[in-house]
Amino acid sequence: MAFLFILPTWPVAVWARAMRQAAPAMDVRAWPDGLGNIADIDYAAAWLPPPNVVRGLPNLKVLFSLGAGVDAILNDPTLPENVPIVRVNDPDLTGRMTEYVVLHVLLHHRQQRRIDANQRRKVWDSFPTHAATQMSVGIMGLGVMGQDSACRLRDLGFRVAGWSRTGKDIEGIESFAGAAGFDAFLARTDILVSLLPATPETDGIINSATISKLSHQGPFGAPIIINAGRGRQQVEADILAALESGALHAATLDVFQAEPLPPDSPLWTHPKVTVTPHVAADSDPEVICAYVARQIERYRQGLALENVVDRAHGY
Amino acid sequence: MAFLFILPTWPVAVWARAMRQAAPAMDVRAWPDGLGNIADIDYAAAWLPPPNVVRGLPNLKVLFSLGAGVDAILNDPTLPENVPIVRVNDPDLTGRMTEYVVLHVLLHHRQQRRIDANQRRKVWDSFPTHAATQMSVGIMGLGVMGQDSACRLRDLGFRVAGWSRTGKDIEGIESFAGAAGFDAFLARTDILVSLLPATPETDGIINSATISKLSHQGPFGAPIIINAGRGRQQVEADILAALESGALHAATLDVFQAEPLPPDSPLWTHPKVTVTPHVAADSDPEVICAYVARQIERYRQGLALENVVDRAHGY
């Protein structure tokens, strides 16, 4: 029984160590150097696997994604069709995403960047403020993470709505569904949070047209966006143009069209933009490997795998 | 029936307008110019009243404090002994304080200041992170505000404890009480939040000795303090010395020994200090005046006043 990590862009030794700790009986290997006899390999975890590497494993039973987003795996056009893909859905990962979303919603809502700028100039300034009850937050993507963020923001007093493929029934959260509900969702939203999975349908969804449909009736007169989904969902030129024209008040971006964000991107230095280096929901190797080991144990006991990716929907 | 505002350092016109809106039948006056016949005045609201101004009102029935802290009123040594003082305890004010506490706990926990510094240098840096479940927050002062902050932080996964004069029984919140419980409370606390009322007992409580007793086992190896209580609770020289020696990792301060914070204070420019201009729980005149009007209505109907200050305890 062997487990293979295929992580060409990640520190694979850290992950192998964590997996050996989580499953001491497992023969844990790392592609490319530690591949060994490929016939032994029952389980694998990948992030951005090169074409044919996964396909070349003849006895693979389950493929794991080490993050909530599975686009880095589904991008491999040679993926075997009949191997189930399991994505991580762990309270640790969900909690980290919620921390990020709540932090950045509050950072904008409480005008902390204005206070930061005042501190740099030693200015003790008072200005009109408003309560969370006056601010409408809209979350695109109401999976496990989106629902958790929505509930915590609701508990802080924000008016929260969610937009997802299918409507969701969550206490105190307004639900909008599909293409038909998109414009109404945007029209009531002062702070837009994207936690969408990367699928062809969501590519470029944060663009000029979307921004222009957001609420301009909120406390700041222009909306705010927070993207902790995937970079290909945002059109960075449109975001910059909207910040310049005043159609957008501010933005926090954790993901980008190109990562790492290139040094010549104007996003780095824009005074209205907070850039974070794709850390919203950092995977803790120990926690994630413990999750993977639990799923393998379930599988070996003949139980159904949890959080299996629906390839038709892309998440 | 007349109502008098005594607000020498506040924009009294804004408050008078909000009070007239909340209680249209009331004769609303503002000290000093609009005092009128003092025998008419049944109710008053004060902030830093000059000596003898409140005492000189012969028919005063209730005195209101316009914030949660009542030290600005109790500082008046000439206050009449037999007039009840009512402090504001409104969900709006509580919610704003909770927003502030949650924002600044998350700001430190998520190392946002490190990310901010990286953004200024266009550095895309990855560093080890940790989950809320690994961080212990300790809240000094478990009144209505402290309890609300504690519960929201608990729901985000933080390990939360509270310290107060009397122990409190709140689900999922560890409770420490009085002088006997202080050292144990500090020893388990990575992020110390003060929401204490200003009383002689809490003067200077955030000092070198207190800081040295905080946990040094947390994710950053040194503790963090957030003071949204009152400035006289902190010894600023001790905080600066602890930041220099490494005994303290960082601080967010909303209140100061002198306010506005003087331009020559080294706190303004210290890289580990976030200075906010006493805005943690800003009083919204409309919300607060609606609260005051409700309390007056209760009093006129013969019902008991709510949130009456216990002068012996100072809050």
Side-chain angles (χ1 to χ4, degrees), chain B residues 2 4-6 29-41 53 57:
Chain B
L4 180 69
F5 279 111
I6 309 162
R29 305 177 185 178
W31 178 90
D33 297 342
L35 191 59
N37 182 354
I38 58 172
D40 305 339
I41 297 168
V53 174
L57 300 171

Side-chain angles (χ1 to χ4, degrees), chain A residues 92 96 99 104 107 109-110 112-113 116 119 122 124-125 129 131-132 260-261 263 268 273 275 277 279-280 282, chain B residues 92 96 99 104 107 109-110 112-113 116 119 122 124-125 129 131-132 260-261 263 268 273 275 277 279-280 282:
Chain A
D92 181 83
R96 285 166 188 253
E99 293 169 17
H104 288 280
L107 197 84
H109 166 65
R110 294 292 300 222
Q112 185 57 43
R113 293 315 194 192
D116 287 348
Q119 182 176 352
K122 301 189 181 185
W124 181 276
D125 183 33
T129 62
L261 184 64
W268 278 117
V273 178
V275 168
V279 292
D282 223 11
Chain B
D92 182 83
R96 286 166 186 252
E99 293 169 17
H104 288 279
L107 196 85
H109 167 65
R110 295 292 301 221
Q112 185 56 43
R113 293 313 193 193
D116 288 348
Q119 180 176 352
K122 300 189 182 186
W124 180 277
D125 183 31
T129 62
L261 184 62
W268 278 115
V273 178
V275 169
V279 292
D282 224 9

Side-chain angles (χ1 to χ4, degrees), chain B residues 40-300:
Chain B
D40 305 339
I41 297 168
D42 300 304
Y43 310 100
W47 187 261
L48 292 174
N52 271 344
V53 174
V54 176
R55 188 166 199 98
L57 300 171
N59 298 319
L60 187 66
K61 295 181 178 65
V62 186
L63 177 63
F64 291 91
S65 167
L66 300 179
V70 293
D71 45 307
I73 286 184
L74 296 183
N75 275 349
D76 176 0
T78 65
L79 223 51
E81 292 75 18
N82 54 348
V83 174
I85 302 170
V86 169
R87 65 189 167 87
V88 174
N89 174 5
D90 186 89
D92 182 83
L93 204 61
T94 300
R96 286 166 186 252
M97 181 59 90
T98 299
E99 293 169 17
Y100 184 91
V101 171
V102 171
L103 167 57
H104 288 279
V105 167
L106 284 172
L107 196 85
H108 291 293
H109 167 65
R110 295 292 301 221
Q111 304 179 62
Q112 185 56 43
R113 293 313 193 193
R114 179 173 175 173
I115 295 173
D116 288 348
N118 283 336
Q119 180 176 352
R120 286 193 292 272
R121 297 181 299 128
K122 300 189 182 186
V123 170
W124 180 277
D125 183 31
S126 224
F127 45 80
T129 62
H130 47 274
T133 49
Q134 297 165 267
M135 187 69 88
S136 295
V137 180
I139 300 179
M140 299 200 289
L142 271 191
V144 173
M145 285 184 172
Q147 292 186 32
D148 193 62
S149 290
C151 291
R152 296 294 76 77
L153 288 167
R154 172 201 66 197
D155 294 348
L156 286 165
F158 291 99
R159 303 174 189 158
V160 183
W163 179 73
S164 48
R165 197 168 48 82
T166 55
K168 297 286 195 304
D169 187 17
I170 310 164
E171 195 185 333
I173 311 291
E174 205 178 347
S175 171
F176 295 86
F182 193 49
D183 286 6
F185 164 76
L186 296 175
R188 54 72 67 201
T189 293
D190 301 318
I191 300 180
L192 179 70
V193 178
S194 175
L195 298 180
L196 288 168
T199 67
E201 290 75 37
T202 66
D203 272 0
I205 193 169
I206 305 173
N207 56 29
S208 295
T210 297
I211 293 168
S212 72
K213 291 175 188 167
L214 286 164
S215 163
H216 283 66
Q217 313 305 318
F220 303 130
I224 289 160
I225 55 170
I226 297 170
N227 190 4
R230 284 285 185 260
R232 52 193 249 209
Q233 288 156 8
Q234 73 200 15
V235 181
E236 287 164 16
D238 286 7
I239 292 172
L240 284 160
L243 287 166
E244 288 311 311
S245 73
L248 198 59
H249 180 71
T252 290
L253 305 175
D254 187 50
V255 290
F256 301 90
Q257 290 177 263
E259 293 180 18
L261 184 62
D264 62 354
S265 168
L267 293 169
W268 278 115
T269 50
H270 199 290
K272 303 269 191 169
V273 178
T274 296
V275 169
T276 62
H278 204 145
V279 292
D282 224 9
S283 302
D284 180 323
E286 285 183 32
V287 173
I288 305 297
C289 288
Y291 170 88
V292 169
R294 278 197 306 280
Q295 291 294 329
I296 291 175
E297 197 47 43
R298 282 181 65 88
Y299 181 81
R300 295 185 63 204

